[in-house]
Amino acid sequence: MRAARLSRRLPPVYGARVSTVAGLALDDFTALLGAERVVSDEEALRAWRDPYSFASWDEYTASAVVMPETVEEVQEIVRIAGRHGVPLWPISQGRNNGYGGPAPRVHGSVIVSLKNMNRVLEIDEESAFALVEPGVRWFDLYEAIKAGGHRLMLSIADIGWGSVVGNTLDHGITYLPYGQDQMMQCGMEVVLPDGSLMRTGMGAMPGNRSWQMYKRGLGPTPDQLFMQSNYGIVTKMGVWLMPYPETYMPCWVRVWNDADLGEVVDVLRRLMLDGTIRGVPQIINTVLYATIVTERTKWWQGEGPIPDEVLDQMARELDIGRWLMRCAIWGDEAVVDHNFEKLRAAFESIGGVDVWGTKVAPEDIPSLENPHERVQGGVPSLDLNAMAGWYSGEEGGHVGFSPISPLRSGDALELRDLLRSGIEAAGLDYMAAFLPVSARSFAHITLVIFDTKDEAQARAAYDVSKRLVVEAAKLGFGEYRAHLDFMDLAAEQYSWNDHAYMRFCERIKDALDPQGILAPGKQAIWPRSMRNGR
Amino acid sequence: MRAARLSRRLPPVYGARVSTVAGLALDDFTALLGAERVVSDEEALRAWRDPYSFASWDEYTASAVVMPETVEEVQEIVRIAGRHGVPLWPISQGRNNGYGGPAPRVHGSVIVSLKNMNRVLEIDEESAFALVEPGVRWFDLYEAIKAGGHRLMLSIADIGWGSVVGNTLDHGITYLPYGQDQMMQCGMEVVLPDGSLMRTGMGAMPGNRSWQMYKRGLGPTPDQLFMQSNYGIVTKMGVWLMPYPETYMPCWVRVWNDADLGEVVDVLRRLMLDGTIRGVPQIINTVLYATIVTERTKWWQGEGPIPDEVLDQMARELDIGRWLMRCAIWGDEAVVDHNFEKLRAAFESIGGVDVWGTKVAPEDIPSLENPHERVQGGVPSLDLNAMAGWYSGEEGGHVGFSPISPLRSGDALELRDLLRSGIEAAGLDYMAAFLPVSARSFAHITLVIFDTKDEAQARAAYDVSKRLVVEAAKLGFGEYRAHLDFMDLAAEQYSWNDHAYMRFCERIKDALDPQGILAPGKQAIWPRSMRNGR
């Protein structure tokens, strides 16, 4: 019975105390990297815990952090771990917030922080691509493009501090046209669990000219096997960039009535299917947008979640509507004008919806005031990271709970109703953004926000998320990305034909990492030694 | 030394005579399928040989063909093969012409023909996708869409008889917008070598609503692992379709001077990078285009390849230029007009280039006279299959030799020069089409055409192709797809870091197919028993 795996915690092989694991391998890591690139002090290690966890929870704590600077050091770290049987947890910048941050799935793992492997190795203006190391943040690549004078735009995530590679490997969503279907990656270099080094695609041929220009190779294409998995450590990755368009036009679609959401979804699908909208929009609800621009206590100090009449009031007074969709158009001015008129007419025909947008020259995007408009123009910042203090005005956190739904009104509303009612029943505000990764489906990003200093509220947030993982799955909605704390539960829902997919993943795991040293439990893929004999 | 593998032929484990292999498993196959779905007569088996091989060559001949009609039968066939150690060679329609057709890599393999699994399981107009079995041809899916009255277009290959799934699994190229980066596949069902059945992506969750709508799942995405490999038999696949655009405009760019090819390549890259051209164009040389519309003997009866002055004469008199590019624009009429004017101005600025195009309503595409214009409108036919008789006027064949190059003038011309001089030195005409699978790279499709009744000419065609595989690789160009006869040689060129990529492929092979029964040698991936102990 696979249900038994849900309660899996730390088996003896890795469950030893921090000092035990560290004692075995720490000397070797220190000999390789020097003391300054090996962190094992218990107090210092707290910086690598989930920032959105309640302070005294310590389930996901590393025993050490090692910080390689070269590919050879990564290879040697993997070999040392293999000799000592130490589990590694590779991170890039560790900004996987809402899903566990930098913390490892298995207590006592050694974090391999790649943040000092932060070189932009190449930017090619003619063919519009870059080759980067895993520590390169959105900020870094953006600055490197600017410093080189390249007229190229990068499809970025909402918050600029994350790693380009790390975000890509976790199926993270970005918003420019190459964000559709997460398609901007081209070519990888990977350290495998045995310490060997491989290049994918055309990079498998010495001196090939097309490594960052053709997405496949000769033979099977393994790139996506290294995303949301524990099969290797990516040490180089190609990223496609977009040449500056003639004009850029961030657009807004404001929906005054909650009841019109379904129609908005259907119009959006048609506009994405026919290419009028080419990037990845966000349909953001009142509360989520409000976290960036106001404080909760101004509007509601009663018990439980903010009620509908107050949401309507916020929608009016903040001028944001019950749902506010951001999207953008990039292209020749004549085409942008045509597409904007088309999308304006389509959405405004719903009634109770208004649409606006402003054309901007690519050079002027950095001076746009609204951070959402900068993000869709490829200019990173931290301005969209303000939501955390919603309940207390101080520190806060969120759990990301994000199932995929068809981009259709019926499905979208059914999922919305399930999640809203579940979260509100837990006494929390429903905060949501619909992110259509392409024309046919969207990730229902649910930010279950809580005050990290309030243990009961934190517990409630985790509990309701877990309950909804199961309830959403029963209705046919599966998560696109899972928090450490319910990775197993989320994966358990993908159980078609007696978990055939997970059994496949495990066979690959055993073949590539028989010792089970690389990120055990990541995405619920456990090495044989931790599978209760399966 | 991996060079030893180049000369690998049939090892004892599979190299037995046809009758031996057949004798072991044939009874079980017949018990499962009935005699009418098992072919083992030597004469009948000739229909499953490479149609473009010289008649008496029998290196790649099957010992039997089995024809399942259900997924369960495919599973049982795999289990029978496992029991008897019989190598299987799955094909869909077997139209992999130029790369070996239906023939197996290992002599004596049992072909699993999936052509009777030919149901279109679903067509969804709202979200624009289909779910098909592997025997569904371009013709079949096109007809099913039409029969359902759906206003949807399918991105198709040049010749309509091929399988949608088979083409996709071999990285085949199609020409509508979803042809870019071969991106139209979404979701798979796969029979693994042990007979178990898996669904990928959201299909791994029972009852999930987004199997054909979201390309990934939770955890690593294995879909592309089943393309150009021997890891499983795909029994269902999702295909994305495109809603009818307001207008469709096939366009032509005629290049009078061979010397202008480089500039055409650079202009094309810029127009694809900025989205003006969204599908997959073809830049076709004089000889290749001529094979469809004329006979060789009309122009040249001398020794060796057609010389440049005759090519210039053909270019003029056939009105096709030295290079003729086909492409197309799909969309709202205003946008199509804008994009056409932009591409016309860009190409005509080169001089010696003219550009034309005609707008067509989607409903009228089937009545277009030129098959190239129908193909880019998603209407399949066999009209582009006429090139085979070039030398003899009767039967002919070709070897496909197709390296990837950056879509840049310098690279493109260097590759063109290498291939043209090599092929002409072998006494053959240089026939080429450049297929930019997206803005950054193109497949240099080289059709090395020969008379299949002329053994010396056939031998010359194979020999020069093999020589050029190696020479192109030395310059940094690798094949995107390889003919049976030099799969090993082509893969051998992907040798970075002591063949790290192939060693990875072999580890996956050994994990999924320890008995080595599924398509041994496909894409040079051999099971352990056939790797000379490696």
Side-chain angles (χ1 to χ4, degrees), chain B residues 242-309:
Chain B
M242 184 174 83
Y244 272 13
E246 190 174 291
T247 193
Y248 160 64
M249 189 178 195
C251 304
W252 295 91
V253 176
R254 182 170 44 195
V255 185
W256 289 108
N257 306 311
D258 196 35
D260 290 333
L261 177 64
E263 215 169 331
V264 167
V265 163
D266 286 328
V267 168
L268 177 60
R269 183 188 64 254
R270 289 192 286 271
L271 293 172
M272 292 186 74
L273 276 174
D274 77 6
T276 304
I277 294 179
R278 284 163 58 226
V280 176
Q282 282 192 356
I283 309 177
I284 306 160
N285 77 348
T286 310
V287 180
L288 182 56
Y289 199 94
T291 59
I292 306 292
V293 294
T294 186
E295 287 157 35
R296 187 177 194 266
T297 48
K298 270 194 185 169
W299 306 92
W300 182 247
Q301 301 183 20
E303 283 291 298
I306 304 175
D308 258 305
E309 57 275 18

Side-chain angles (χ1 to χ4, degrees), chain B residues 459-510:
Chain B
R459 181 55 65 204
Y462 280 86
D463 286 349
V464 68
S465 299
K466 292 179 197 180
R467 196 167 64 243
L468 290 173
V469 165
V470 178
E471 288 182 23
K474 278 186 199 152
L475 292 179
F477 303 101
E479 278 204 274
Y480 103 102
R481 191 171 181 178
H483 190 284
L484 279 189
D485 202 48
F486 45 93
M487 269 184 181
D488 287 301
L489 180 66
E492 192 75 16
Q493 311 307 310
Y494 289 76
S495 63
W496 190 81
N497 198 17
D498 190 24
H499 302 264
Y501 167 69
M502 181 52 73
R503 285 184 282 125
F504 174 86
C505 292
E506 289 168 348
R507 285 170 80 167
I508 303 287
K509 180 65 176 172
D510 293 342

Side-chain angles (χ1 to χ4, degrees), chain A residues 177-230:
Chain A
Y178 286 124
Q180 282 206 357
D181 296 314
Q182 296 124 320
M183 71 170 83
M184 76 184 187
Q185 177 268 330
C186 185
M188 278 182 180
E189 180 184 87
V190 190
V191 173
L192 296 174
D194 64 0
S196 66
L197 190 68
M198 172 172 85
R199 289 185 176 172
T200 68
M202 305 313 274
M205 173 178 281
N208 189 286
R209 307 183 188 202
S210 306
W211 188 21
Q212 269 63 61
M213 297 187 239
Y214 180 67
K215 286 200 172 179
R216 299 184 178 180
L218 185 70
T221 307
D223 298 48
Q224 293 186 12
L225 215 59
F226 296 103
M227 299 180 190
Q228 286 202 353
S229 78
N230 48 19

Side-chain angles (χ1 to χ4, degrees), chain A residues 124 126-127 178 194 197 204 209 219-220 228 241 332 338 342 408 411 440 475 494 496-497 501 507, chain B residues 124 126-127 194 197 204 209 219-220 228 241 332 338 342 408 411 414 440 475-476 494 496-497 501 507:
Chain A
D124 184 299
E126 194 176 25
S127 291
Y178 286 124
D194 64 0
L197 190 68
R209 307 183 188 202
Q228 286 202 353
L241 306 170
D332 290 350
H338 173 89
K342 185 173 172 182
R408 312 189 193 212
D411 303 295
R440 293 167 181 81
L475 293 179
Y494 288 77
W496 189 82
N497 198 17
Y501 168 69
R507 285 170 80 168
Chain B
D124 184 299
E126 194 176 26
S127 291
D194 64 0
L197 191 67
R209 307 182 187 202
Q228 286 201 353
L241 306 169
D332 291 350
H338 173 88
K342 186 173 171 181
R408 313 191 193 210
D411 302 296
E414 200 175 333
R440 293 168 181 80
L475 292 179
Y494 289 76
W496 190 81
N497 198 17
Y501 167 69
R507 285 170 80 167

